[in-house]
Amino acid sequence: MGLQDAIVKPHERLSAALTGEMDEVNTLIRARMASKHAPRIPEVTAHLVEAGGKRLRPMLTLAAAKMCGYTGPYHVHLAATVEFIHTATLLHDDVVDESGQRRGRPTANLLWDNKSSVLVGDYLFARSFQLMVETGNMRVLDILANAAATIAEGEVLQLTAAQDLATDESIYLQVVRGKTAALFSAAMEVGGVIADQPADQVQALFDYGDALGVSFQIVDDLLDYGGDASATGKNVGDDFRERKLTLPVIKAVAKADAQERAFWSRTIEKGQQNDGDLETALALLAKHGAMDATRQDALDWAEKAKAALRRLPDSDIRQMLLDLADYVVARVS
Amino acid sequence: MGLQDAIVKPHERLSAALTGEMDEVNTLIRARMASKHAPRIPEVTAHLVEAGGKRLRPMLTLAAAKMCGYTGPYHVHLAATVEFIHTATLLHDDVVDESGQRRGRPTANLLWDNKSSVLVGDYLFARSFQLMVETGNMRVLDILANAAATIAEGEVLQLTAAQDLATDESIYLQVVRGKTAALFSAAMEVGGVIADQPADQVQALFDYGDALGVSFQIVDDLLDYGGDASATGKNVGDDFRERKLTLPVIKAVAKADAQERAFWSRTIEKGQQNDGDLETALALLAKHGAMDATRQDALDWAEKAKAALRRLPDSDIRQMLLDLADYVVARVS
């Protein structure tokens, strides 16, 4: 998530431009995450949805709606919907598999958290559907229901693809579209749909969100092999240690000789890692230009995002969203 | 689930009366649980949603719609929606806590299944929302979104209430309404709403489903302390060993003296169980008449279910649903 530091300036400008609406979103989120019957729910979600979070996804919805001249009130519901879906997926991502015990907490605690994470995530999903139903707009319901299915499908695909060297760039892209880009694109799209925009304008909003989301995730994966821990909050090599087959590795595997392939198979597929393996992995990424090629992909997706947005009329908000795409990739360019 | 044997006759008659519609539901379920991108999804769900399951909940939707003269096509979508929600909650219930290792499978396998269960459950939830959106009926969307929130809230409440001797019958009822009755009542209600019935008729359908669901769960909890393992598929005392504070125990705790209270606190709250404790628990349940009182509650709820249904015009389907309520409690009366 350290990537978000890189976009702080356009994010802050967007936040300032949307301050009244964001206050309404935060109020709605707090009201809807409460539970009279189950006080554990706000306990579990508080640290995830407390005011002061970046709120990137709901801001996209508010920005899209404002750019399209919508004056309300349902952009607020949709923005809160998007944030609830995001928070629910974060909670479900927290469900540990064995490699997740890296955090060193006691197993009993991990498992208790597990059950809470699943059920509170379900509650937030249900709350998100209630919020979107309140808009009374069938098209946004359709978009968000489809996005939810795409997200879950991408997460399941990642389960099987993450540690399989046969995973190629097209599968990686499917996973990324699911786990990250689907919610970015839906967040933008519903902002245009609620404002009753024509199909080509709505498509441009979707395309911006899609490309921004892909770029965002590629940058995240890239920083994992070359970021600054103090800035990113992650340590170099976390994805390697967790045996995640991300884009830099996919590119290096594609160019690997037999010996290198055996290395990736042992460390990623079989998970047999020894001291020095991360250094070897970094050397192989450098040898095959995998970091540079991944960086170029991120830049290309950011350009696609900006090109999509330029199909819409110019405005202050549009400029901030263009700048946002640049900021997403600023840390790796 | 052994309880379902008790209702096999009215269930079979309902199934025969709704055979064409049930075939359509099964076809729709198979089509929608497929995933082009993630073949793991049908692998995980196959044993849960394969044709031949009891399909009690979707049958309630079909029965309600038919009783109200609805001729289609959206009762099929709604029935499949209800089954997907049910299957998703089963998958998420499977997420193990430590006591869940009773099945004796290796931990790695349990944990791998964990992650799959969560994400495939999410996929089915999303699919269920897509299906309900296709009906284009805002009222059913509202009902089912609310049901999903009530289910999740009940499950979270159960997490905190299950091992706390302060849990009383009203909290138990809240949990049961969430984890079981909310989907029964919603399944009935949407059948009436899609058929555009007046409010009092829809309320009668809801009340039947609610009372049937509560009765169903109380019987399940009762059989756990007195059922026939060969018929129920559960062993006597599973809930005791898993430290679940169900209605028979709640009734016995309410009448416990200090020494008995210490016993329940040790075995349920603290989970310190020794040989002979189950026999002691059974003796305490008998001593305070907790089994009989619980049985009477189940019968009362079945009567409530039938009384609600009698507010609707007589028909063959209505009679089968009346019989269904009797069958739910037949095993314990």
Side-chain angles (χ1 to χ4, degrees), chain A residues 139-181:
Chain A
R139 283 183 63 204
V140 304
L141 287 168
D142 195 40
I143 291 163
L144 290 167
N146 291 343
T150 302
I151 292 167
E153 204 169 15
E155 298 265 13
V156 176
L157 180 60
Q158 182 174 247
L159 273 189
T160 49
Q163 291 162 9
D164 179 354
L165 290 195
T167 297
D168 59 18
E169 294 197 18
S170 75
I171 295 174
Y172 172 83
L173 195 58
Q174 272 174 25
V175 169
V176 167
R177 283 221 151 91
K179 67 183 244 193
T180 308

Side-chain angles (χ1 to χ4, degrees), chain B residues 75-95:
Chain B
H75 57 326
V76 172
H77 288 69
L78 292 172
T81 295
V82 163
E83 185 70 0
F84 271 6
I85 293 175
H86 175 57
T87 308
T89 59
L90 286 184
L91 281 167
H92 286 184
D93 282 347
D94 267 358
V95 174

